[in-house]
Amino acid sequence: MKLSKRLLQICHMVEPGFDHIWDCCCDHGYLGAALLKQQSAKVHFVDIVPELMSNLSHKLNHFFANTNTWQTHCIDVSLLPLTQYQGHHLVIIAGIGGDLMSDLVTNILHAHPDQVIDILLCPVHHQFELRQNLSNLHLSLKAEVLIEENGRYYEVIHVTNNADKMKPISLTGELFWQTDCEEQKLINQQYLHKTLAHYQRIQKGQPLLVKNVINAYEQLL
C-alpha cells in the first residue's frame, strides 16, 4: 500500500544501522511493513489493541512468511522489552498527541536508564509541550522536519539519549526553519501563523498559561 506523505517522511528519516526498530501505536502496520522492505533491522510492531495486532500478525505471516525479521507485541508502549534484545534500538511513535507521547518517552527512558535509544516522533498536536519534555529529559536532537499533508502540519523529530550527540532541542524547532526552498518557506510560515493563532485563542481564556509559548513563536516572525 502506498504510504501517506507523513509516513513516507518518517520512513525516509530512518537511517541504517539499527538492530531493532519499534513501530509503536502501529495501527495497521503500514510504516513497519515499509521498513521491513528497506531495512536490515528487526521490526517490532507494537499496539495495545488485541484485534489490531491479531489481524496484523495474520497479514505479516502472509506477506513475510519466510523471514524472522519481524515480531508483534500487544502491549502498552511504556512497557517495551528493549532489554530482551541486544543492539541499537530505534523507537518510532506517531499518530498520537504530544502529551501522551511525552509520557511514553519518559516511561521508556526511565525503564532503560543504561541503554542508548534513538526515538523518532511525529505528534499530531502539542508539539511545544512535547519539545519541552524532550529538553527536560536532556535528549539531543538528531534531525527534524516539518511537512504539510492535506492541510495539516506535522513535525517529525529524531532525538537520542546518546551523551556523545549533544545538540539542544529547541522548543519551537530550529533546523526546519533554515531552508532556501521557497515551497518549504511557505509551509513554515503557514504553520507558524496557524500555531500562533491556536495559542492566541487559548490566551483569551488562560493568558498566563500560554504567554511563554506565544512569546517563543513570535520570535520566529
Side-chain angles (χ1 to χ4, degrees):
M1 181 174 177
K2 184 178 179 181
L3 292 182
S4 67
K5 185 177 180 180
R6 178 176 61 95
L7 292 183
L8 194 59
Q9 179 62 58
I10 296 172
C11 208
H12 286 332
M13 291 177 69
V14 178
E15 55 197 29
F18 293 104
D19 300 293
H20 297 276
I21 298 174
W22 300 80
D23 179 12
C24 302
C25 309
C26 65
D27 199 27
H28 298 289
Y30 299 138
L31 174 62
L35 291 171
L36 271 175
K37 296 176 182 178
Q38 73 174 42
Q39 296 284 333
S40 59
K42 183 164 188 173
V43 178
H44 300 261
F45 297 80
V46 184
D47 205 295
I48 201 170
V49 182
E51 184 179 358
L52 270 177
M53 298 313 293
S54 177
N55 292 337
L56 179 56
S57 293
H58 178 75
K59 292 177 182 177
L60 291 169
N61 275 313
H62 177 72
F63 291 106
F64 302 97
N66 299 316
T67 176
N68 63 350
T69 58
W70 61 270
Q71 188 172 345
T72 58
H73 305 262
C74 187
I75 56 173
D76 187 315
V77 172
S78 294
L79 304 176
L80 295 183
L82 303 186
T83 53
Q84 296 180 20
Y85 303 90
Q86 293 186 346
H88 192 186
H89 293 268
L90 172 66
V91 175
I92 303 174
I93 311 176
I96 61 175
D99 46 358
L100 175 56
M101 200 171 278
S102 290
D103 292 340
L104 295 177
V105 171
T106 300
N107 293 339
I108 291 168
L109 292 174
H110 285 175
H112 306 91
D114 300 320
Q115 281 188 271
V116 173
I117 306 170
D118 276 45
I119 307 175
L120 190 54
L121 304 167
C122 184
V124 295
H125 48 63
H126 295 152
Q127 290 86 348
F128 188 90
E129 293 81 359
L130 172 63
R131 285 175 171 274
Q132 277 186 314
N133 189 56
L134 298 177
S135 179
N136 291 338
L137 290 168
H138 305 294
L139 295 173
S140 179
L141 180 69
K142 294 187 73 173
E144 59 183 8
V145 173
L146 175 67
I147 63 167
E148 180 274 331
E149 181 181 56
N150 298 327
R152 299 193 66 177
Y153 299 87
Y154 299 95
E155 295 183 26
V156 188
I157 311 165
H158 186 172
V159 297
T160 181
N161 66 348
N162 187 343
D164 296 331
K165 305 285 186 182
M166 290 311 297
K167 179 175 176 55
I169 297 170
S170 167
L171 300 185
T172 55
E174 179 184 357
L175 300 181
F176 57 72
W177 301 108
Q178 303 168 11
T179 178
D180 294 324
C181 173
E182 292 303 319
E183 181 181 0
Q184 187 62 47
K185 285 181 181 179
L186 179 59
I187 291 172
N188 290 352
Q189 289 303 308
Q190 291 171 337
Y191 175 62
L192 177 57
H193 289 298
K194 184 174 182 179
T195 301
L196 270 171
H198 166 72
Y199 284 108
Q200 286 164 350
R201 285 192 297 271
I202 296 176
Q203 189 182 36
K204 293 177 181 178
Q206 299 172 298
L208 295 179
L209 184 65
V210 295
K211 185 175 185 296
N212 67 316
V213 182
I214 292 174
N215 289 342
Y217 280 110
E218 284 181 340
Q219 298 300 311
L220 300 170
L221 290 173

